């Protein structure tokens, strides 16, 4: 509906640096009607469309087309972040981190992955922010995931339940175990790998030991241990050789999706020395963005590994 521009509240933008004048002038110069903005009905605060509103004002208009949102203010801010992350002028990384700080406080029950899906940063970065804000965040025993399910923050009970399920029926899929035990498929995979290797289903740090490695490094080490059951001190098969072997497989070479997979895998066959050179030459002003993207890609590969091992039928 059309609303009077002067009745709208422009405070509360998730953009710390405010709007970009050049973008406002660009929108004002376009002859097409501006897309509707989003407004919080109870406060008349603009949720999304600050640039469009100022462009309309610059055109000399007194009204603008708006859609109304009827949730509370915390939900309105979440929507503002979600919309501003997604459209053509996305939020800066510093804006997204600040938004994550606020959402962690207003929605302490949300999982790191759910906050990450709204703010456009990685779950690992959200976890780091949550740990730094521990004194400001109300403690909660469960977290609400993207799938709408509550899961315990301490996954020990779920891991032990998964151990029981896999011991009773090793043929259960990861997703079946995850649903029954109230854990993620990745955690179910970790438990299964630990049982196969004769290890305790609980990481040592959960039993009070002084261990600082992250979940991702544990999963990576477990994944390497699966290549023949070698101990962690022994060399693993050369990644480049494995990818070269896959490249010779006609099932991959002669399909578009197979070639795409081979190209993605080939990106990770560089030697340690090459990785070191890349790391040492990342420009200082790009480190946050590069690290954030690396974490997001690592999460995508982790989910890919779970789905491949769980959903693709095994031979034999």
């Amino acid at each position: 509906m059309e609303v009077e521009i002067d009745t709208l509240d422009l405070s509360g933008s998730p953009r710390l640096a405010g709007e970009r004048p050049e973008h406002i002038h660009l929108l004002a110069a376009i002859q097409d009607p501006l897309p509707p903005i989003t407004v919080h009905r109870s406060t008349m605060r603009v949720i999304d469309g600050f640039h469009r509103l100022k462009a309309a004002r610059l055109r000399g208009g007194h009204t603008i087309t708006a859609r109304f949102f009827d949730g509370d203010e915390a939900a309105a801010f979440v929507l503002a972040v979600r919309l501003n992350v997604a459209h053509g002028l996305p939020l800066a990384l510093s804006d997204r981190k600040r938004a994550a700080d606020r959402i962690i406080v207003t929605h302490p029950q949300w999982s790191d992955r759910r906050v990450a899906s709204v703010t456009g940063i990685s779950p690992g970065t959200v976890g780091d922010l949550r740990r730094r804000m521990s004194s400001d965040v109300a403690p909660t025993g469960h977290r609400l995931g993207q799938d709408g399910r509550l899961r315990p923050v301490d996954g020990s009970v779920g891991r032990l339940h998964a151990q029981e399920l896999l011991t009773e029926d090793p043929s259960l899929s990861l997703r079946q175990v995850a649903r029954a035990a109230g854990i993620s498929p990745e955690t179910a995979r970790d438990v299964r790998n630990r049982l196969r290797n004769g290890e305790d289903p609980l990481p040592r740090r959960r039993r009070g030991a002084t261990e600082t490695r992250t979940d991702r490094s544990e999963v990576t080490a477990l994944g390497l241990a699966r290549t023949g059951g070698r101990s962690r001190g022994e060399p693993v098969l050369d990644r480049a050789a494995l990818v070269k072997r896959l490249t010779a497989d006609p099932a991959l070479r002669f399909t578009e999706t197979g070639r795409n997979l081979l190209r993605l895998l080939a990106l990770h066959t560089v030697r340690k020395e090459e990785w070191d050179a890349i790391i040492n030459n990342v420009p200082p002003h790009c480190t946050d963005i590069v690290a954030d993207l690396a974490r997001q890609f690592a999460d995508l590969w982790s989910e890919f590994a779970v789905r491949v091992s769980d959903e693709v039928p095994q031979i034999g």
Side-chain angles (χ1 to χ4, degrees):
M1 62 178 292
E2 290 291 313
V3 297
E4 295 285 337
I5 291 177
D6 290 341
T7 65
L8 298 174
D9 182 355
L10 293 178
S11 65
S13 170
R15 298 182 188 275
L16 300 179
E19 290 69 50
R20 298 183 187 178
E22 66 275 11
H23 191 62
I24 294 172
H25 284 84
L26 178 64
L27 291 174
I30 298 174
Q31 297 303 312
D32 295 335
L34 295 168
I37 65 173
T38 305
V39 176
H40 188 215
R41 189 188 301 272
S42 63
T43 63
M44 294 301 287
R45 181 177 295 142
V46 175
I47 292 175
D48 180 54
F50 290 81
H51 290 91
R52 279 166 277 162
L53 187 147
K54 292 189 176 181
R57 183 177 283 166
L58 190 61
R59 288 178 176 181
H62 298 286
T63 64
I64 190 169
T65 306
R67 296 189 181 97
F68 284 103
F69 175 73
D70 291 308
D72 60 23
E73 292 197 44
F77 181 77
V78 169
L79 179 60
V81 175
R82 190 190 297 276
L83 294 175
N84 279 277
V85 164
H87 63 43
L89 192 62
L91 294 175
L93 180 61
S94 57
D95 293 333
R96 287 180 276 137
K97 286 184 175 181
R98 181 66 65 86
D101 286 343
R102 179 168 170 179
I103 293 172
I104 288 169
V105 172
T106 59
H107 297 75
Q109 76 280 13
W110 278 18
S111 69
D112 293 345
R113 194 173 295 277
R114 184 160 187 168
V115 176
S117 71
V118 172
T119 57
I121 59 179
S122 73
T125 300
V126 175
D128 292 340
L129 294 173
R130 192 190 297 272
R131 283 188 287 275
R132 288 200 291 268
M133 299 171 59
S134 58
S135 60
D136 301 321
V137 180
T140 176
H142 290 74
R143 298 266 172 82
L144 186 65
Q146 287 179 269
D147 57 2
R149 296 183 60 190
L150 279 173
R151 293 186 175 88
V153 175
D154 180 4
S156 300
V157 175
R159 282 175 171 267
L160 293 174
H161 190 192
Q163 178 190 22
E164 295 175 1
L165 293 170
L166 289 168
T167 301
E168 292 174 1
D169 186 358
S171 66
L172 289 174
S173 73
L174 293 177
R175 294 192 181 277
Q176 287 174 320
V177 174
R179 282 194 296 269
I183 57 178
S184 69
E186 183 62 35
T187 301
R189 177 174 177 265
D190 186 17
V191 172
R192 185 182 67 183
N193 289 338
R194 288 176 176 274
L195 294 177
R196 286 177 176 176
N197 295 327
E199 300 176 0
D200 193 299
L202 301 181
R204 277 182 282 171
R205 70 176 184 276
R206 297 191 181 184
R207 301 198 303 269
T210 56
E211 185 164 29
T212 59
R213 61 186 179 177
T214 63
D215 286 337
R216 188 172 293 119
S217 65
E218 289 173 2
V219 172
T220 301
L222 287 167
L224 294 176
R226 291 181 65 185
T227 59
R230 294 181 298 273
S231 67
R232 293 178 187 171
E234 297 178 20
V236 299
L237 290 175
D238 180 65
R239 290 190 298 270
L242 291 172
V243 173
K244 185 176 181 180
R245 184 187 303 172
L246 290 173
T247 303
D249 190 329
L252 294 173
R253 288 176 58 193
F254 299 124
T255 64
E256 184 64 27
T257 55
R259 289 192 292 271
N260 287 337
L261 174 60
L262 291 172
R263 281 192 288 268
L264 288 171
L265 293 172
L267 291 173
H268 300 284
T269 59
V270 297
R271 300 186 307 275
K272 180 182 182 300
E273 295 77 12
E274 294 176 277
W275 281 117
D276 291 340
I278 293 171
I279 292 169
N280 292 332
N281 286 281
V282 173
H285 64 280
C286 297
T287 53
D288 281 349
I289 297 175
V290 171
D292 190 57
L293 286 171
R295 293 188 186 98
Q296 292 188 48
F297 295 148
D299 289 335
L300 289 172
W301 275 115
S302 180
E303 176 65 18
F304 177 84
V306 170
R307 295 188 62 185
V308 167
S309 62
D310 189 31
E311 298 178 9
V312 178
Q314 301 294 314
I315 298 176

